[in-house]
Amino acid sequence: MNLTVGATYIVLGGLIILLLVLLLNRKKEVVEINDAILRPEELEKHAVEIAWNHTVSKDSRALRWLSARIKENFKFIQSVNKKLSAEVDNMFPTASAAEWLLDNFYVIEEQVREILHLLSKNRHNKLPVLDSGYLKGYPRVFAVALELVAHTDGKIDEDRIVGFLRAYQSHRLLSMNELWAFAIMLKIALLENIRYICEKIVETQEDWHKAEDFADIIARCQENNEPLPLDALAAYFKGAQTLKSSFVEHLILKLRKQGSKATEIINHLDSMLAEHNSSVDALIALEHQIQASRQISMGNSITSLRSISSIDWADIFEALSSVEQILREDPSGIYPRMDFESRDYYRHQIEKLAASLNSTENRIAMAAVECAEEASALSDARDPICHVGYYIIGKGKGKLKEKTGYRARGLKAACEKISHHCARLYIGSIVLTTLVVSGLFAHYSGSRVSGIGYACYFILTMIVVFIPVSELAIPLINCVVSRFRQPVMIPKLELKEGIPEESATMVIIPTLLPNEKRVRELIERLEIFYLANKEKNLYFALVGDYKDASSKELPEDGKIISAALRGVEELNRRYGQEERDIFYFFHRHRQYNESQGKWMGWERKRGAIVELVELLRGSENTSYSIVSCDVRKLPFIKYIITIDADTSLPMGTARRLIGTMLHPMNKPVVDHKKGLVVEGYGLLQPRISVDVVSANASQFSRIFAGQGGIDPYTTAVSDIYQDLFNEGIFTGKGIFDVDIFKDILTQAIPDNAV
């Protein structure tokens, strides 16, 4: 029995040792980074050659191996940096390449932290890996980056990157994930090059120390009139497999400083080198060339580490992505006019579809274009069904799946059916959670009594706790849903040429004007909004109401109106155009409200917007008695952006909002019988966030204000109602279509209901 147990332990021990040996061997792999420097045309030819030789598989361990390699490289570079610092402190000379390392080690440290951080996010955990060659098991794109660095001596720029990758992809396409990962892989490859140079620096420093020792021995022999150590020197050269030019160069340098005394040993050294078909001068020249080459290579690598971060990788990606080129064939012509974030969202959706449908990214993209082309043959090109996005992110996704021959089965089919009943699932989950938790409370409450008493306690407790429990159930279900449901991004047009005249927009601030000071503050805000959003066909207006009063007019009303008109006139004089004003002032007179018992603007802020819409559409029956210009000269306004007096309008926001409304996927479709927008959006509200200063005003605001300092208009943020139902709650700040608003909302709410 003991023998059996002993044998088991021996076998287990042997397996553990074998595993450790394999892991150590993996870690000690030598990555070849030193190679011939090629001209651009030779570099592209080489890219084609390696593309033919690369075969790939999938291996989830690839990034872990790469991370381990990065840490090992950095640890070695860090140790070399410490050794060189000590050499400098001891007044010992260092190689010229070492100066770059000593002066820029912080750059390497910073880049390593960034690389490891990006790799830890698992964004690139599905990169294809090589299944043969000395880099077997490493990501293919890392091997490509390594080749580029090796054959350019670490000198990386945008033209070299694009040319090399384009040549590679002429025979072997890289996935979108690989193209995005290429920047990181280039940095890792540059780190390999720096490590390689550091190894050579260490060898040089060791040779210089040996040379110093030989020179010291020779000096002592000469001082003591002892025989020169010629035999020791001969033994060194006889034992050396290759002649170390660094040793010879440094030794000669030290000997020549000793003057004529060292002539004999130099001549003897030259004669020994002649036996190896070399000479002192030849080795010195070679060493100077090597040191200069290493200095350039180290400088190139560190400079490239910095410059890679400043390259616009979005442009490089779109220039090289085959999926991008396919989608640009969109029959509607909309895709090329979208902003980068929207195009990137489409591409990510294609990436996900390709993975779920077990197809290639190119095949999915081509299928989307084919679907759009088929629709454009039968419909107006402006119809959403003629746009590739309709099949990538819209209702046409089912047709796209059919086009690729996909048929959902099993769990996938069940999940797809459930996704068509989001409302029932969402509401049902809240109700079920509320009932279960309330039932537990009710059961506990009635468990101490029996009979009719139990039923009474149960019912009474259910009534008392139902609403509080539901308030807890809603955020709980929202939290669960947000974990499993990705935020929905609404696509946008970029509007590179500016806002079209037919889409002219007015930014309005509907507000109360209690005094002249407030008027001046708001006029100043209008000016700030304009300076941040200078666009043709974009107008700005202050939409004012008097404060509530016990009479129709107050003595200070005239001063308020005069201040507003002067402010708008001054802005137009400063920034206006000859043919048309940019800034406007609209003001309503008070009307008596019986339910409030006050003189006030009709329906306050809602009424101000409703009446402004009617005024812009030619109505003469509004309470806007004061307008800063001739009403007949007002421009045609397609959209209105309404914001509060305390709301910011960051730079370029107006154009992004208009570009969102103009995208065909967001085109509003009205069901006039129901009085609803059933598809698209007649009104859109951007993410509303608290500015950094306000967010940190108190402990309460720090808890509830969320993360400040992030651009809320380009970041997809989860909103349960928007993600599940393509609808949201309007809080008074956003953009709306004037005609849709007039048709749907003008008469939707009775007077005095809000």
Side-chain angles (χ1 to χ4, degrees), residues 458-483:
F458 188 92
I459 295 170
L460 182 61
T461 305
M462 283 288 287
I463 294 171
V464 171
V465 304
F466 188 83
I467 293 178
V469 169
S470 68
E471 288 297 309
L472 295 173
I474 291 172
L476 175 64
I477 297 301
N478 287 351
C479 182
V480 173
V481 171
S482 64
R483 291 286 181 182

Side-chain angles (χ1 to χ4, degrees), residues 556-588:
E556 61 269 24
D557 291 351
K559 293 181 180 179
I560 292 172
I561 299 303
S562 297
L565 290 173
R566 282 197 308 270
V568 167
E569 183 181 356
E570 172 61 22
L571 289 178
N572 281 318
R573 186 186 64 77
R574 197 180 305 165
Y575 304 110
Q577 303 166 353
E578 293 181 4
E579 66 276 9
R580 184 169 288 167
D581 291 342
I582 295 176
F583 299 91
Y584 297 90
F585 173 58
F586 303 96
H587 198 81
R588 300 191 299 169

Side-chain angles (χ1 to χ4, degrees), residues 63 211 552 601 692 738:
L63 287 187
K552 186 174 182 179
V692 176
V738 172

Side-chain angles (χ1 to χ4, degrees), residues 181-240:
F182 192 71
I184 299 173
M185 298 303 161
L186 266 181
K187 290 183 179 182
I188 298 171
L190 287 167
L191 198 65
E192 288 285 348
N193 197 33
I194 292 170
R195 186 238 168 88
Y196 170 79
I197 299 169
C198 285
E199 289 174 348
K200 298 304 176 184
I201 290 173
V202 169
E203 291 177 10
T204 297
Q205 294 297 127
E206 290 174 352
D207 287 338
W208 286 4
H209 277 288
K210 289 177 183 177
E212 291 270 347
D213 293 341
F214 264 97
D216 290 342
I217 293 171
I218 292 168
R220 284 197 299 271
C221 290
Q222 289 173 337
E223 289 175 5
N224 300 326
N225 294 319
E226 296 177 357
L228 294 174
L230 301 179
D231 293 340
L233 194 60
Y236 172 79
F237 281 100
K238 187 176 181 181

